Amino acid sequence: MQPNFSQSLFLFPLILFLLSHHFPRSLCLDDYRYSDCNFSSGFECGSELGKIEYPFWVSGRQPEYCGHPAFKLDCEGGEGEYAVIEIMSQRYKVLQIDYGSQILKIVTMKNAFPTNPLVCPESTVMDSILFEYNSSVRTVAFTLTYNCSADDHHPEYSYNFSCKIGDQDHKAYLATNTSWVYELKNRCEYGEVTDDFPVLQRELQGLKGSSDDQVGKVLRAGFEVRWRADNGLCQKCILSGGTCGYNMTSKEPCCFCRDKPYQTTCSSSGDNDRRYERRPLAKFKGRRSQRWLFNLKIPNGRRCE
């Protein structure tokens, strides 16, 4: 049976309308890396830090290409109550992240929680390529001592406290001057010095005397570092409609866009206006005219793959 030509003429505008308005939404899928790393969806690691953004990424919840490899966060605690970052093989609890000023506030895991007695501080080593101490930080020195003489008298701005390594209790001093620590060490049969330990200057100024509680408060307050990863590039990517990520092959930051990854920003070559091109759809036998379907081109460089 021959198709009714008048009916086909009526259906053609309707088909064109439906194709134009529904095909882009139903058939065009965003690049998987853009979807995986879109931080607007809100990845969190504990309630204190809020939404985690590049260069950080949450292990177990996002692929590693969603952030810089050195900025991996592990959610730990009962139900992912806090974030932990590893720097130079040492683990730190993350207390605060300021993306605007690129400041990360952290504390060594051994000193992150109240203990009695305190856990003796250990040396910290920062990755100088990725981090630098913020101006709020002052480095102090500690010494662990044994069998000391006249240890009731110690230099000004040095504070004695008790701490533990494993099951062993130690008498220790915190001093703001490294030379004072060595002076204290020389009074003892044995002493072990830990210098260049970072603390917050404002917490140090709050020390009112020698006590485990006072020193413990300084240690648990942690310290601040500024990360060197260029967030300016990330902002350019976001403004272009992309989401920030990391190219695991080239070992460089990149911009994940809806169609594919780009080096810095999403492509702006695609027109924002919808454009159409004519392609023949089918010929009706015995009809004098050829039917055409207008194929919608997706704006902004998006592709259906």
Side-chain angles (χ1 to χ4, degrees):
M1 182 176 69
Q2 295 287 345
N4 187 308
F5 185 66
S6 62
Q7 289 180 346
S8 64
L9 289 177
F10 171 77
L11 290 175
F12 174 69
L14 178 61
I15 294 173
L16 176 61
F17 175 82
L18 293 174
L19 293 178
S20 300
H21 285 75
H22 291 280
F23 267 36
R25 295 189 179 109
S26 60
L27 294 184
C28 294
L29 301 178
D30 291 334
D31 182 88
Y32 69 93
R33 288 155 293 199
Y34 173 86
S35 301
D36 289 344
C37 303
N38 195 329
F39 290 92
S40 63
S41 57
F43 296 95
E44 295 187 359
C45 195
S47 58
E48 297 180 356
L49 300 180
K51 184 174 65 175
I52 302 300
E53 302 177 13
Y54 186 90
F56 301 92
W57 57 284
V58 182
S59 177
R61 300 184 187 180
Q62 297 172 282
E64 59 182 346
Y65 51 73
C66 289
H68 191 288
F71 290 77
K72 180 186 76 167
L73 299 180
D74 291 304
C75 292
E76 298 187 4
E79 297 181 357
E81 298 173 359
Y82 54 87
V84 175
I85 188 171
E86 185 173 306
I87 303 173
M88 302 293 286
S89 300
Q90 190 160 12
R91 287 160 43 84
Y92 298 87
K93 179 185 177 184
V94 179
L95 302 177
Q96 187 177 343
I97 303 176
D98 186 333
Y99 295 95
S101 57
Q102 298 190 193
I103 293 177
L104 177 68
K105 187 178 181 183
I106 54 180
V107 58
T108 59
M109 285 299 294
K110 290 185 177 181
N111 302 120
F113 306 99
T115 58
N116 187 18
L118 298 172
V119 176
C120 296
E122 296 180 355
S123 297
T124 61
V125 180
M126 281 292 105
D127 186 332
S128 59
I129 297 177
L130 296 175
F131 300 98
E132 62 181 352
Y133 289 133
N134 191 32
S135 58
S136 61
V137 170
R138 179 172 179 178
T139 56
V140 297
F142 294 93
T143 182
L144 307 181
T145 57
Y146 305 88
N147 297 330
C148 299
S149 62
D151 56 7
D152 290 335
H153 304 284
H154 47 83
E156 188 178 8
Y157 303 115
S158 62
Y159 307 90
N160 66 297
F161 63 100
S162 299
C163 63
K164 176 178 287 190
I165 298 179
D167 296 329
Q168 183 69 43
D169 292 330
H170 298 278
K171 189 176 183 66
Y173 291 91
L174 176 156
T176 56
N177 188 311
T178 304
S179 63
W180 295 341
V181 169
Y182 284 98
E183 178 185 335
L184 292 166
K185 174 187 173 183
N186 292 335
R187 297 179 185 176
C188 307
E189 181 179 321
Y190 175 80
E192 181 179 333
V193 173
T194 298
D195 53 10
D196 294 331
F197 189 92
V199 297
L200 290 174
Q201 175 72 28
R202 58 180 176 269
E203 296 294 335
L204 198 61
Q205 292 173 342
L207 271 175
K208 298 178 180 178
S210 296
S211 74
D212 295 358
D213 290 340
Q214 290 285 326
V215 175
K217 181 181 177 182
V218 173
L219 295 178
R220 287 192 298 274
F223 58 96
E224 295 174 341
V225 294
R226 186 185 301 272
W227 69 82
R228 300 178 186 271
D230 189 355
N231 272 23
L233 293 176
C234 183
Q235 289 303 313
K236 291 179 181 178
C237 170
I238 293 173
L239 290 174
S240 72
T243 189
C244 308
Y246 195 80
N247 188 320
M248 303 302 295
T249 302
S250 65
K251 308 299 182 184
E252 294 178 334
C254 64
C255 186
F256 294 139
C257 304
R258 291 183 182 275
D259 57 337
K260 63 178 182 178
Y262 291 87
Q263 186 173 0
T264 54
T265 59
C266 296
S267 172
S268 58
S269 60
D271 290 337
N272 290 329
D273 298 328
R274 291 177 175 176
R275 299 181 301 170
Y276 300 87
E277 64 179 14
R278 296 200 310 167
R279 293 181 183 175
L281 176 64
K283 291 182 180 179
F284 285 91
K285 293 181 179 181
R287 298 298 174 188
R288 52 185 176 160
S289 62
Q290 187 177 24
R291 303 298 307 280
W292 296 86
L293 171 69
F294 287 87
N295 179 47
L296 178 67
K297 285 187 175 180
I298 310 305
N300 298 328
R302 293 183 63 185
R303 305 182 305 176
C304 295
E305 297 183 354

